[in-house]
Amino acid sequence: MMPLVVLGSLLSALAFVFFVLGARTLRSARAERERLLEEARREAEARKKEILVEAKEQALEVRRQVERDLEGKRRELLRREERVSRLEEEAALRLNRLERREREIQSKEEGAEERLRKAEEELSRARRELERLAGLSAAEAKKIVMKEVEAEARREALSLVRQVELEAREEAEKRARKILAVAIQRVASDMTSETTVSVVPIPSDDMKGRIIGREGRNIRAFEAVTGVNLIIDDTPEAVLLSSFDPVRREVARLTLERLVADGRIHPARIEEAYERARAEVEAEIVRAGEDAVAQTGVGELNPQVVKALGRLRFRTSYGQNVLKHLVESAHIAGIIAHELGMKDARLVKRATLLHDIGKALTHEVEGPHAAIGAEFLRRFGESPDVVHAVAAHHGEVEPKTVEAVLVQVADAISGGRPGARRESIEQYVRRLERLEEIAQSMPGVERCFAMQAGREIRVMVKPEEVDDLSAYAIARDIAKKVESELQYPGQIKVTVVREVRAVEYAK
């Protein structure tokens, strides 16, 4: 019983102790909270004061900035107002000056109208007086003055044309002479004339009988196989082969040389030698075409075009070998193209090398060789520029490209240089006669003479009908007519001579 009472007392004491301790802890916690709240309140008050100070300072700074901006705008407005005032004053002054100027101009116009009226009256009186004194009306006098002015203008125009032509001719001649001299000097190839007859040497005149054969069977067989005329005459140690086909003539020449060297001449042997010679000539044709292409450096060509080009090795034009003429013309055209600064000189050389290829086909197709050659090249895939240049090189087609014109120039240079071609006496005489006819057809011409083998025409005019300036016009007209009507190599010089002689007799 006693222990229970003691235990209850202890528990009551412990509960009291815990109560006291809890009360103290609660009071201390409340005191701490009050202290923290006071500190927070003081810090908030301090921060609030700082923020208010900063806000007041920023507001003052913004106010000062706004005041400065307003002051600047105020000063700018004042300056603009002053400028507008000055402009208004200047405008008013200018308006006053313009009004004064307008009044002055109006006054002058009135005075000018009055003076013009008086001048017209004076001019009318003077015109009537002049008509009375001269015995001419105003229209008649105007016609006379117009004729004099027209004649004077024509004389001045002719003088100006002559001066311009002289300057242009001098410059063009210098430039052309330089280009042509360079081209011809750099080519400088020899040209030999060829005919339609080949001479075959034989060791002795006894060989002629063996060539003829018994009752002429060998010569008949030879002519039947080769298609070439074999001429045996009194020429010592030589026989002649005549044909207008150079390829057949060359095959016949090689055939006869082999027969003469072998000594066995009979129809079977003739056929055998002919076949071998024909094969050799075919190979030579291809080789000649390839050599021409390699010499000019125009690039690859169709094999059929190369073969047709090689056939021109045995073709002549006015005694000039056509293939050599083509190679020479291609070199000349290339040099001229380089001198003129053209970018594609190979195209010019290619067109020039092929411009006479139609001559290899003229015995197969009818028509001008320029058109035949152009169609042949078109069929084998040549470019349109090359085809056009070939078709236009003789003027049947109007040249539309620089390459076509250069082909004409190179062709004329190669064919027109001295010694390149020969001309028959009939053509030569006809050309001289036509030159004199063209010159004689001009008004005021007294007589004329073709000189220098047709390369110069000298014209004598009547001095009482033709003046000095008209003489230049006649020379120009003759030159233009010769260019349009005649074909000739090189150039023809036209010289017009006007001579005045004064003759008196002492009695």
Side-chain angles (χ1 to χ4, degrees), residues 6 25 57 101 139 149 151 158 214 217 230 240 252 274 276 290 321 347 404 479 501:
V6 174
T25 302
E57 292 178 353
R101 183 64 177 170
V149 171
L158 288 173
R214 184 180 301 176
R217 66 170 187 171
L230 179 59
L240 302 179
Y274 170 76
R276 294 178 59 186
E290 292 174 348
N321 183 276
L347 178 62
R501 294 185 181 182

Side-chain angles (χ1 to χ4, degrees), residues 58 81-82 84 103 109 121 132 161 216 262 382 434 463:
Q58 290 178 359
E81 289 177 357
E82 293 175 357
V84 169
R103 290 193 294 271
E109 285 180 352
E121 293 176 356
R132 186 183 64 80
V161 167
D262 184 55
E382 278 297 326
R434 183 56 186 153

Side-chain angles (χ1 to χ4, degrees), residues 195 197-201 235-241 249 253 256-257:
T195 64
V197 177
S198 297
V199 179
V200 179
T235 304
E237 299 182 352
V239 294
L240 302 179
L241 298 173
R249 191 171 68 247
R253 185 185 67 82
L256 187 57
E257 286 181 352

